[in-house]
Amino acid sequence: MSIEVGSKVQGKVTGITNFGAFVELPEGSTGLVHISEVADNYVKDINEHLKVGDQVEVKVINVEKDGKIGLSIKKAKENPNPQPQRPRHNGPRNNRNDQRNNNKTESFEQKMNRFLKDSEDRLSSLKRNTESKRGGRGARRG
């Protein structure tokens, strides 16, 4: 049985890091479950969810050309009760969320560039506001 994207397999946790857990798969290959793929909720400390030696069911989410295997525990779990959709209100639209929803197929680089631009905009706005309150940049003191 070869490891294919989308397949669910049983594995054994062989190592834990601050960014995820390494899982030994059938045929001796090893994959990584990133910390964001461990549970549906936010995981601050992976040790609260997994420990070395645990048997886990994982779903193969990607296999890279260099042999790295990306795994997910949360996607391996069947979700019989999906979260109900909340109705949208008719107020002003949040353009940022709409932009994210429209760009589901965005590459990592595009997401990172958008994040950096948003971050720089926020930082410059924050600096402008704090400097004016502190009297910086040649503001008169009387």
Side-chain angles (χ1 to χ4, degrees):
M1 176 183 129
S2 67
I3 304 299
E4 296 177 10
V5 174
S7 62
K8 292 182 185 178
V9 293
Q10 286 286 78
K12 179 180 176 184
V13 177
T14 58
I16 294 181
T17 65
N18 59 350
F19 56 84
F22 291 97
V23 176
E24 184 178 344
L25 302 172
E27 301 176 8
S29 56
T30 301
L32 174 69
V33 178
H34 188 267
I35 193 167
S36 65
E37 294 293 333
V38 171
D40 288 327
N41 53 350
Y42 176 73
V43 177
K44 183 174 184 176
D45 182 10
I46 196 167
N47 293 301
E48 294 174 1
H49 295 267
L50 297 171
K51 61 181 183 285
V52 174
D54 283 353
Q55 289 289 330
V56 292
E57 183 180 28
V58 293
K59 183 173 184 176
V60 180
I61 54 176
N62 67 349
V63 178
E64 296 185 18
K65 291 177 184 172
D66 60 1
K68 292 180 181 176
I69 302 170
L71 305 171
S72 174
I73 293 173
K74 71 180 182 181
K75 289 180 182 169
K77 296 177 183 174
E78 296 296 327
N79 193 358
N81 299 326
Q83 294 284 335
Q85 293 288 333
R86 292 189 308 186
R88 286 188 80 142
H89 62 85
N90 292 331
R93 297 186 70 150
N94 186 339
N95 290 335
R96 198 152 122 194
N97 285 337
D98 291 341
Q99 182 182 9
R100 280 192 197 126
N101 291 337
N102 290 338
N103 293 333
K104 293 286 184 195
T105 58
E106 226 177 6
S107 73
F108 175 76
E109 288 79 15
Q110 291 169 324
K111 288 179 183 178
M112 184 59 82
N113 287 336
R114 184 170 38 83
F115 169 78
L116 288 173
K117 182 183 178 301
D118 289 348
S119 181
E120 288 171 359
D121 291 346
R122 286 191 200 108
L123 278 174
S124 64
S125 174
L126 181 64
K127 284 181 183 177
R128 257 194 321 269
N129 290 336
T130 55
E131 285 175 355
S132 65
K133 291 178 183 173
R134 284 191 275 173
R137 285 198 174 186
R140 275 200 223 163
R141 295 187 181 152

